[in-house]
Amino acid sequence: MTVVNAQTFVEPAPSALLLLGRGADLASERGVECPGDLPAASDPGLAERARVAKAALGDRAFILGHHYQRDEVIALADVTGDSFKLAREAAARPDAEYILFAGVHFMAESADILTTDAQAVVLPDLAAGCSMADMAAIDQVEEAWAVLADAGLADRTIPVTYMNSTAAIKAFTGRHGGTVCTSSNAQVAMRWAFDQVGGLDGDGKVLFMPDQHLGRNTAVLQLGLPLTDCVVYDPRRPGGGLTTAELAAARVILWKGHCSVHGRFTAANVAAIRERVPGVTVLVHPECTHDVVTAADLVGSTEHIIRTLDAAPAGSSWALGTELNLVRRLAAAHPELTVHYLDSTVCFCSTMNRIDLPHLVWALESLVEGRVPNRIVVDADDAHWARIALDQMLALPGV
């Protein structure tokens, strides 16, 4: 799909997204019903109702908008950013009584961990989960650690978990001396983890969760490890589908997880856009598969993609391998550039899109009426250990 000034983007069919939250989708990440009556998505006064409710709340409410949200939600956000930036922004607003997170569940959990007990973090639709985060359940991770312990490897393995993970997984990481990372600092985090067990030249290991592609791309392309040093642990197979010898020989144990959006892009997409658009620069997110990243010209986090487009010379052509709402917004912000979506198929982050204007209006109006809907509260013990892992990330060089 070629995008010029964002005019060719088409919203996905609402029926696939549970936009009104009137029922539960048991096949979804969380399958949690969103209670309450929501205004109709077709209501022409929705945006005005949102502005009125937000004005009534004033400084009591602070709205965080993730880059992958749709434009009408971003228009109401007090700040936009990636998941960790938004959690830190929430922590920097101790006087805000309500933190409304226009994102997904794990992001709201991080905000709850980093804010005070007096603040309420609200997720407008509880069904806004994350397929990647849900690919690593805490019982599966505990079982994997037991496999490593039985193989005599746990004491020289450091867990590193991506921000895109549940609070329980972050807590597990903190309990076992590991750190959280983002797509921006995964290289620094993984190098730090290796340093805890003898360095890159030693025989220590990193257990990287839950996105295998970010872990592999970091280990191979940024730390210089061979692909053969990476193995994939599949929680659905006995022993992760690996022998003790394979675990012992590996340096990086990758959890079998992925992003449902970034995992769609293929090397064939890269080849096709190069054929159609001579001179195009292909820029992709590190959650893409290894063959896509190696076929691209540039790779970087969401914030890196935004900064790169902001600095791009007028008249240049770009193909972006990341979420479609963001690509569309970048195309609209840069009419001097020609922006292409790397895939030929329209693909939004469906769970992120569950936070739509009806849900946000419902949450804001509920707060005005004195009711706190969909509050996200992390278990105190999990919050303690997850905070330790997050603080370790904040202590990393350059963070």
Side-chain angles (χ1 to χ4, degrees):
M1 171 175 289
T2 299
V3 181
V4 180
N5 297 338
Q7 297 304 309
T8 60
F9 283 103
V10 178
E11 291 284 345
S15 60
L17 302 178
L18 288 184
L19 295 184
L20 298 183
R22 299 185 187 277
D25 177 8
L26 299 181
S28 73
E29 287 79 5
R30 297 185 180 277
V32 180
E33 183 174 354
C34 182
D37 292 327
L38 301 178
S42 59
D43 185 342
L46 270 180
E48 179 60 23
R49 286 173 62 179
R51 285 191 289 270
V52 169
K54 183 179 179 183
L57 292 167
D59 292 339
R60 296 173 64 203
F62 191 66
I63 302 177
L64 306 170
H66 191 273
H67 287 307
Y68 296 171
Q69 290 292 347
R70 59 186 77 213
D71 289 346
E72 59 265 33
V73 171
I74 290 294
L76 292 165
D78 293 301
V79 64
T80 60
D82 61 13
S83 59
F84 185 62
K85 175 185 175 182
L86 294 178
R88 294 185 72 174
E89 289 282 353
R93 302 297 192 284
D95 295 332
E97 187 176 348
Y98 308 119
I99 304 294
L100 286 93
F101 213 122
V104 294
H105 197 274
F106 78 80
M107 301 178 189
E109 285 184 328
S110 294
D112 182 61
I113 291 167
L114 294 173
T115 53
T116 69
D117 291 341
Q119 295 174 286
V121 176
V122 172
L123 186 65
D125 185 355
L126 289 176
C130 170
S131 57
M132 180 199 296
D134 289 341
M135 289 175 190
I138 185 58
D139 59 333
Q140 295 174 322
V141 175
E142 295 283 5
E143 182 179 345
W145 196 256
V147 169
L148 291 173
D150 289 344
L153 302 172
D155 61 350
R156 48 195 175 101
T157 301
I158 299 294
V160 175
T161 191
Y162 191 22
M163 274 294 294
N164 300 31
S165 59
T166 65
I169 302 304
K170 292 183 178 73
F172 168 90
T173 303
R175 290 187 186 99
H176 293 281
T179 186
V180 178
C181 77
T182 68
S183 55
S184 298
N185 69 6
Q187 176 185 4
V188 175
M190 191 176 285
R191 186 179 294 275
W192 171 87
F194 274 120
D195 286 345
Q196 310 313 300
V197 284
L200 279 174
D201 295 328
D203 62 356
K205 306 174 189 308
V206 169
L207 171 63
F208 192 94
M209 306 172 289
D211 180 21
Q212 62 169 306
H213 302 307
L214 176 62
R216 181 181 295 105
N217 291 328
T218 301
V220 175
L221 301 179
Q222 295 188 302
L223 296 187
L225 295 175
L227 272 172
T228 51
D229 276 0
C230 302
V231 296
V232 177
Y233 184 96
D234 185 348
R236 295 168 183 80
R237 299 179 63 188
L242 299 168
T243 66
T244 300
E246 288 171 326
L247 286 170
R251 300 301 308 284
V252 180
I253 303 165
L254 302 167
W255 194 264
K256 190 175 184 181
H258 65 276
C259 171
S260 58
V261 171
H262 292 111
R264 289 181 53 87
F265 301 112
T266 66
N269 293 147
V270 178
I273 195 70
R274 292 198 192 282
E275 184 176 349
R276 290 200 313 272
V277 187
V280 70
T281 300
V282 180
L283 171 57
V284 302
H285 194 280
E287 291 174 12
C288 293
T289 60
H290 188 67
D291 58 344
V292 170
V293 168
T294 53
D297 298 298
L298 301 170
V299 58
S301 66
T302 299
E303 295 289 349
H304 176 79
I305 290 171
I306 294 169
R307 290 194 303 268
T308 300
L309 268 288
D310 288 345
S316 57
S317 296
W318 296 81
L320 304 183
T322 191
E323 204 274 342
L324 191 50
N325 273 320
L326 174 61
V327 178
R328 181 177 59 184
R329 194 169 299 119
L330 287 170
H334 294 287
E336 77 282 6
L337 306 176
T338 301
V339 179
H340 306 266
Y341 184 59
L342 185 58
D343 194 359
S344 58
T345 303
V346 174
C347 183
F348 294 87
C349 177
S350 61
T351 50
M352 189 75 72
N353 271 265
R354 287 183 173 129
I355 307 297
D356 59 357
L357 200 52
H359 281 93
L360 189 55
V361 169
W362 170 74
L364 286 166
E365 291 181 342
S366 296
L367 292 174
V368 171
E369 295 168 0
R371 294 181 288 108
V372 181
N374 295 357
R375 182 172 183 177
I376 303 300
V377 180
V378 177
D379 170 81
D381 187 60
D382 279 350
H384 167 76
W385 288 105
R387 181 63 184 261
I388 287 176
L390 287 165
D391 284 346
Q392 176 53 62
M393 181 182 74
L394 293 174
L396 295 173
V399 177

